[in-house]
Amino acid sequence: RRNTHGGYDRDKLQKRKVLSEMSLYKASVTYSEESINAFAKAQFGIFQRKTKITLLAAATLLLLLGAFEVGGQAISILLLFAGCLLIVNVGNIPRRTAKAMMKSSATFDIADYDFGDRAFTVTSGGASSRVEYKNVTHLGEDSRYYYIFCSPRVGYMLAKQSLAPNEPGGFRQLLASGSNCKWSGTGSALSTNLPMLIARLKNRQK
């Protein structure tokens, strides 16, 4: 159809273009307190990796010094306390981000994803948006979610168990090749397991 100016209806052409793309994968996510916290942790782990590594390295040093009682028992207790406090503070950074995100949205929605050859469409709350893979800058994953970021402030997440067809290898390859990005972990397990690793190391020395 042509409009009153003799040109094609661009909106309809765009809709036809989106519909003409072959749907390769579908997925979804339910935004909840748990998933938003996971997203904030991933965001922090991916975009503030150097800050996180520096803080955790300092915490590791403090915990090691405290575990081996460098400077006596009293100093050891202070070092262990300082190391644990630093780890807690590292975890508080994404928690504060998650709280701010939840305050900005009174209700939690379900986001549906449709992945094509060159882009994906996300639909949530009755609105849809199309994101081309070439605009993706970071890809991340943890045990439950995939994360797709276009910038430090613009990102998407989807539940791994919702992926259909259930072909994680092909899905990762599609996004990696389309965005020219490598998949990476979010680093969330390191801060969680650090005190346990220190305790195991100390037990081995006994």
Side-chain angles (χ1 to χ4, degrees), residues 111-141:
D112 294 310
Y113 292 84
D114 196 336
F115 294 87
D117 293 319
R118 296 173 305 229
F120 68 88
T121 302
V122 55
T123 303
S124 180
S128 296
S129 59
R130 183 175 181 272
V131 181
E132 294 188 3
Y133 299 138
K134 66 181 181 180
N135 294 325
V136 173
T137 61
H138 290 82
L139 297 170
E141 63 176 306

mmCIF file of all heavy atoms in Angstrom, residues 111-141:
data_model
loop_
_atom_site.group_PDB
_atom_site.id
_atom_site.type_symbol
_atom_site.label_atom_id
_atom_site.label_comp_id
_atom_site.label_asym_id
_atom_site.label_seq_id
_atom_site.Cartn_x
_atom_site.Cartn_y
_atom_site.Cartn_z
ATOM 1 N N ALA A 111 8.818 -11.515 29.973
ATOM 2 C CA ALA A 111 9.374 -11.092 28.691
ATOM 3 C C ALA A 111 9.512 -12.321 27.797
ATOM 4 O O ALA A 111 10.058 -13.341 28.222
ATOM 5 C CB ALA A 111 10.723 -10.415 28.879
ATOM 6 N N ASP A 112 8.997 -12.229 26.578
ATOM 7 C CA ASP A 112 9.094 -13.307 25.598
ATOM 8 C C ASP A 112 10.089 -12.912 24.514
ATOM 9 O O ASP A 112 10.050 -11.788 23.997
ATOM 10 C CB ASP A 112 7.730 -13.591 24.972
ATOM 11 C CG ASP A 112 6.741 -14.140 25.993
ATOM 12 O OD1 ASP A 112 7.104 -15.091 26.710
ATOM 13 O OD2 ASP A 112 5.619 -13.606 26.085
ATOM 14 N N TYR A 113 10.952 -13.842 24.145
ATOM 15 C CA TYR A 113 11.990 -13.585 23.154
ATOM 16 C C TYR A 113 11.795 -14.464 21.927
ATOM 17 O O TYR A 113 11.449 -15.635 22.044
ATOM 18 C CB TYR A 113 13.378 -13.855 23.746
ATOM 19 C CG TYR A 113 13.794 -12.890 24.826
ATOM 20 C CD1 TYR A 113 13.400 -13.086 26.150
ATOM 21 C CD2 TYR A 113 14.582 -11.786 24.534
ATOM 22 C CE1 TYR A 113 13.775 -12.211 27.151
ATOM 23 C CE2 TYR A 113 14.967 -10.898 25.524
ATOM 24 C CZ TYR A 113 14.571 -11.119 26.832
ATOM 25 O OH TYR A 113 14.942 -10.244 27.831
ATOM 26 N N ASP A 114 12.068 -13.878 20.772
ATOM 27 C CA ASP A 114 12.038 -14.602 19.506
ATOM 28 C C ASP A 114 13.334 -14.269 18.758
ATOM 29 O O ASP A 114 13.564 -13.111 18.396
ATOM 30 C CB ASP A 114 10.822 -14.187 18.678
ATOM 31 C CG ASP A 114 10.519 -15.161 17.563
ATOM 32 O OD1 ASP A 114 11.455 -15.880 17.130
ATOM 33 O OD2 ASP A 114 9.359 -15.224 17.121
ATOM 34 N N PHE A 115 14.187 -15.271 18.552
ATOM 35 C CA PHE A 115 15.492 -15.053 17.945
ATOM 36 C C PHE A 115 15.493 -15.470 16.480
ATOM 37 O O PHE A 115 15.130 -16.609 16.145
ATOM 38 C CB PHE A 115 16.561 -15.844 18.703
ATOM 39 C CG PHE A 115 16.779 -15.359 20.109
ATOM 40 C CD1 PHE A 115 15.998 -15.837 21.148
ATOM 41 C CD2 PHE A 115 17.756 -14.409 20.394
ATOM 42 C CE1 PHE A 115 16.187 -15.391 22.449
ATOM 43 C CE2 PHE A 115 17.945 -13.953 21.690
ATOM 44 C CZ PHE A 115 17.157 -14.439 22.707
ATOM 45 N N GLY A 116 15.884 -14.537 15.615
ATOM 46 C CA GLY A 116 15.961 -14.798 14.194
ATOM 47 C C GLY A 116 17.394 -14.857 13.706
ATOM 48 O O GLY A 116 18.329 -15.001 14.492
ATOM 49 N N ASP A 117 17.584 -14.721 12.405
ATOM 50 C CA ASP A 117 18.916 -14.818 11.813
ATOM 51 C C ASP A 117 19.815 -13.649 12.198
ATOM 52 O O ASP A 117 21.007 -13.834 12.449
ATOM 53 C CB ASP A 117 18.814 -14.867 10.283
ATOM 54 C CG ASP A 117 18.155 -16.150 9.808
ATOM 55 O OD1 ASP A 117 18.465 -17.201 10.380
ATOM 56 O OD2 ASP A 117 17.335 -16.087 8.884
ATOM 57 N N ARG A 118 19.255 -12.444 12.216
ATOM 58 C CA ARG A 118 20.066 -11.248 12.415
ATOM 59 C C ARG A 118 19.675 -10.437 13.642
ATOM 60 O O ARG A 118 20.364 -9.484 14.000
ATOM 61 C CB ARG A 118 19.967 -10.342 11.183
ATOM 62 C CG ARG A 118 20.522 -10.952 9.910
ATOM 63 C CD ARG A 118 20.222 -10.046 8.743
ATOM 64 N NE ARG A 118 18.792 -9.760 8.660
ATOM 65 C CZ ARG A 118 18.089 -9.876 7.539
ATOM 66 N NH1 ARG A 118 18.658 -10.291 6.444
ATOM 67 N NH2 ARG A 118 16.803 -9.594 7.529
ATOM 68 N N ALA A 119 18.566 -10.777 14.278
ATOM 69 C CA ALA A 119 18.074 -9.970 15.393
ATOM 70 C C ALA A 119 17.141 -10.794 16.259
ATOM 71 O O ALA A 119 16.720 -11.891 15.877
ATOM 72 C CB ALA A 119 17.355 -8.724 14.874
ATOM 73 N N PHE A 120 16.823 -10.255 17.419
ATOM 74 C CA PHE A 120 15.810 -10.876 18.264
ATOM 75 C C PHE A 120 14.771 -9.833 18.635
ATOM 76 O O PHE A 120 15.048 -8.628 18.654
ATOM 77 C CB PHE A 120 16.420 -11.528 19.515
ATOM 78 C CG PHE A 120 16.994 -10.573 20.523
ATOM 79 C CD1 PHE A 120 16.209 -10.028 21.537
ATOM 80 C CD2 PHE A 120 18.338 -10.237 20.488
ATOM 81 C CE1 PHE A 120 16.740 -9.163 22.468
ATOM 82 C CE2 PHE A 120 18.888 -9.362 21.420
ATOM 83 C CZ PHE A 120 18.091 -8.829 22.416
ATOM 84 N N THR A 121 13.572 -10.317 18.891
ATOM 85 C CA THR A 121 12.470 -9.457 19.300
ATOM 86 C C THR A 121 12.087 -9.815 20.729
ATOM 87 O O THR A 121 11.941 -10.995 21.061
ATOM 88 C CB THR A 121 11.255 -9.637 18.376
ATOM 89 O OG1 THR A 121 11.636 -9.341 17.036
ATOM 90 C CG2 THR A 121 10.126 -8.707 18.794
ATOM 91 N N VAL A 122 11.946 -8.819 21.575
ATOM 92 C CA VAL A 122 11.518 -9.040 22.950
ATOM 93 C C VAL A 122 10.183 -8.344 23.153
ATOM 94 O O VAL A 122 10.007 -7.189 22.774
ATOM 95 C CB VAL A 122 12.579 -8.531 23.964
ATOM 96 C CG1 VAL A 122 12.914 -7.073 23.721
ATOM 97 C CG2 VAL A 122 12.092 -8.728 25.388
ATOM 98 N N THR A 123 9.233 -9.078 23.732
ATOM 99 C CA THR A 123 7.890 -8.551 23.980
ATOM 100 C C THR A 123 7.590 -8.632 25.466
ATOM 101 O O THR A 123 7.703 -9.701 26.073
ATOM 102 C CB THR A 123 6.834 -9.345 23.193
ATOM 103 O OG1 THR A 123 7.154 -9.310 21.797
ATOM 104 C CG2 THR A 123 5.450 -8.754 23.407
ATOM 105 N N SER A 124 7.207 -7.496 26.051
ATOM 106 C CA SER A 124 6.899 -7.452 27.473
ATOM 107 C C SER A 124 5.913 -6.329 27.730
ATOM 108 O O SER A 124 6.075 -5.220 27.213
ATOM 109 C CB SER A 124 8.175 -7.232 28.295
ATOM 110 O OG SER A 124 7.891 -7.185 29.672
ATOM 111 N N GLY A 125 4.881 -6.622 28.512
ATOM 112 C CA GLY A 125 3.897 -5.603 28.843
ATOM 113 C C GLY A 125 3.157 -5.044 27.645
ATOM 114 O O GLY A 125 2.760 -3.884 27.646
ATOM 115 N N GLY A 126 2.999 -5.854 26.606
ATOM 116 C CA GLY A 126 2.274 -5.430 25.414
ATOM 117 C C GLY A 126 3.105 -4.653 24.404
ATOM 118 O O GLY A 126 2.607 -4.297 23.336
ATOM 119 N N ALA A 127 4.365 -4.378 24.731
ATOM 120 C CA ALA A 127 5.245 -3.641 23.821
ATOM 121 C C ALA A 127 6.351 -4.555 23.312
ATOM 122 O O ALA A 127 6.825 -5.442 24.034
ATOM 123 C CB ALA A 127 5.848 -2.435 24.518
ATOM 124 N N SER A 128 6.745 -4.344 22.057
ATOM 125 C CA SER A 128 7.801 -5.151 21.443
ATOM 126 C C SER A 128 8.925 -4.261 20.938
ATOM 127 O O SER A 128 8.703 -3.124 20.525
ATOM 128 C CB SER A 128 7.248 -5.979 20.277
ATOM 129 O OG SER A 128 6.291 -6.916 20.724
ATOM 130 N N SER A 129 10.134 -4.797 20.996
ATOM 131 C CA SER A 129 11.283 -4.086 20.440
ATOM 132 C C SER A 129 12.200 -5.089 19.749
ATOM 133 O O SER A 129 12.273 -6.251 20.147
ATOM 134 C CB SER A 129 12.051 -3.329 21.530
ATOM 135 O OG SER A 129 12.511 -4.222 22.533
ATOM 136 N N ARG A 130 12.865 -4.617 18.721
ATOM 137 C CA ARG A 130 13.745 -5.468 17.921
ATOM 138 C C ARG A 130 15.187 -5.029 18.143
ATOM 139 O O ARG A 130 15.506 -3.844 18.066
ATOM 140 C CB ARG A 130 13.380 -5.361 16.440
ATOM 141 C CG ARG A 130 14.179 -6.250 15.503
ATOM 142 C CD ARG A 130 13.625 -6.132 14.090
ATOM 143 N NE ARG A 130 14.340 -6.975 13.152
ATOM 144 C CZ ARG A 130 15.433 -6.605 12.490
ATOM 145 N NH1 ARG A 130 15.927 -5.380 12.685
ATOM 146 N NH2 ARG A 130 16.028 -7.430 11.655
ATOM 147 N N VAL A 131 16.057 -5.989 18.422
ATOM 148 C CA VAL A 131 17.463 -5.701 18.695
ATOM 149 C C VAL A 131 18.317 -6.505 17.719
ATOM 150 O O VAL A 131 18.243 -7.737 17.691
ATOM 151 C CB VAL A 131 17.841 -6.067 20.141
ATOM 152 C CG1 VAL A 131 19.310 -5.738 20.411
ATOM 153 C CG2 VAL A 131 16.944 -5.351 21.141
ATOM 154 N N GLU A 132 19.125 -5.828 16.945
ATOM 155 C CA GLU A 132 20.016 -6.510 16.019
ATOM 156 C C GLU A 132 21.244 -7.016 16.766
ATOM 157 O O GLU A 132 21.754 -6.360 17.667
ATOM 158 C CB GLU A 132 20.426 -5.569 14.889
ATOM 159 C CG GLU A 132 19.267 -5.171 13.983
ATOM 160 C CD GLU A 132 19.735 -4.404 12.762
ATOM 161 O OE1 GLU A 132 20.956 -4.222 12.594
ATOM 162 O OE2 GLU A 132 18.862 -4.004 11.972
ATOM 163 N N TYR A 133 21.722 -8.188 16.365
ATOM 164 C CA TYR A 133 22.862 -8.786 17.047
ATOM 165 C C TYR A 133 24.106 -7.914 16.963
ATOM 166 O O TYR A 133 24.943 -7.927 17.861
ATOM 167 C CB TYR A 133 23.164 -10.172 16.455
ATOM 168 C CG TYR A 133 22.028 -11.157 16.609
ATOM 169 C CD1 TYR A 133 21.668 -12.006 15.569
ATOM 170 C CD2 TYR A 133 21.313 -11.241 17.794
ATOM 171 C CE1 TYR A 133 20.636 -12.906 15.708
ATOM 172 C CE2 TYR A 133 20.275 -12.135 17.946
ATOM 173 C CZ TYR A 133 19.934 -12.976 16.894
ATOM 174 O OH TYR A 133 18.909 -13.862 17.035
ATOM 175 N N LYS A 134 24.239 -7.144 15.893
ATOM 176 C CA LYS A 134 25.424 -6.299 15.736
ATOM 177 C C LYS A 134 25.501 -5.208 16.800
ATOM 178 O O LYS A 134 26.564 -4.617 17.006
ATOM 179 C CB LYS A 134 25.454 -5.672 14.342
ATOM 180 C CG LYS A 134 24.323 -4.677 14.081
ATOM 181 C CD LYS A 134 24.416 -4.120 12.670
ATOM 182 C CE LYS A 134 23.317 -3.096 12.399
ATOM 183 N NZ LYS A 134 23.398 -2.554 11.017
ATOM 184 N N ASN A 135 24.375 -4.936 17.480
ATOM 185 C CA ASN A 135 24.354 -3.928 18.541
ATOM 186 C C ASN A 135 24.668 -4.503 19.918
ATOM 187 O O ASN A 135 24.741 -3.773 20.902
ATOM 188 C CB ASN A 135 22.993 -3.237 18.581
ATOM 189 C CG ASN A 135 22.718 -2.418 17.330
ATOM 190 O OD1 ASN A 135 23.629 -1.832 16.756
ATOM 191 N ND2 ASN A 135 21.469 -2.382 16.900
ATOM 192 N N VAL A 136 24.843 -5.820 19.998
ATOM 193 C CA VAL A 136 25.163 -6.483 21.262
ATOM 194 C C VAL A 136 26.655 -6.334 21.546
ATOM 195 O O VAL A 136 27.496 -6.531 20.662
ATOM 196 C CB VAL A 136 24.780 -7.973 21.206
ATOM 197 C CG1 VAL A 136 25.258 -8.707 22.452
ATOM 198 C CG2 VAL A 136 23.271 -8.117 21.050
ATOM 199 N N THR A 137 26.991 -5.971 22.776
ATOM 200 C CA THR A 137 28.396 -5.761 23.144
ATOM 201 C C THR A 137 28.941 -6.814 24.100
ATOM 202 O O THR A 137 30.155 -7.026 24.152
ATOM 203 C CB THR A 137 28.579 -4.378 23.787
ATOM 204 O OG1 THR A 137 27.781 -4.300 24.989
ATOM 205 C CG2 THR A 137 28.163 -3.278 22.832
ATOM 206 N N HIS A 138 28.067 -7.462 24.868
ATOM 207 C CA HIS A 138 28.520 -8.469 25.831
ATOM 208 C C HIS A 138 27.498 -9.601 25.935
ATOM 209 O O HIS A 138 26.285 -9.349 25.920
ATOM 210 C CB HIS A 138 28.725 -7.859 27.224
ATOM 211 C CG HIS A 138 29.888 -6.929 27.315
ATOM 212 N ND1 HIS A 138 29.799 -5.615 26.904
ATOM 213 C CD2 HIS A 138 31.162 -7.107 27.757
ATOM 214 C CE1 HIS A 138 30.962 -5.018 27.097
ATOM 215 N NE2 HIS A 138 31.801 -5.900 27.616
ATOM 216 N N LEU A 139 28.010 -10.816 26.053
ATOM 217 C CA LEU A 139 27.178 -12.000 26.278
ATOM 218 C C LEU A 139 27.667 -12.696 27.540
ATOM 219 O O LEU A 139 28.865 -12.907 27.723
ATOM 220 C CB LEU A 139 27.290 -12.968 25.092
ATOM 221 C CG LEU A 139 26.800 -12.452 23.733
ATOM 222 C CD1 LEU A 139 27.197 -13.433 22.632
ATOM 223 C CD2 LEU A 139 25.289 -12.255 23.743
ATOM 224 N N GLY A 140 26.742 -13.032 28.434
ATOM 225 C CA GLY A 140 27.120 -13.699 29.669
ATOM 226 C C GLY A 140 26.119 -14.764 30.060
ATOM 227 O O GLY A 140 24.998 -14.812 29.534
ATOM 228 N N GLU A 141 26.506 -15.624 30.961
ATOM 229 C CA GLU A 141 25.598 -16.668 31.437
ATOM 230 C C GLU A 141 26.026 -17.154 32.806
ATOM 231 O O GLU A 141 27.185 -17.064 33.197
ATOM 232 C CB GLU A 141 25.560 -17.846 30.461
ATOM 233 C CG GLU A 141 26.872 -18.577 30.294
ATOM 234 C CD GLU A 141 26.734 -19.784 29.386
ATOM 235 O OE1 GLU A 141 25.868 -20.641 29.638
ATOM 236 O OE2 GLU A 141 27.512 -19.861 28.409
#
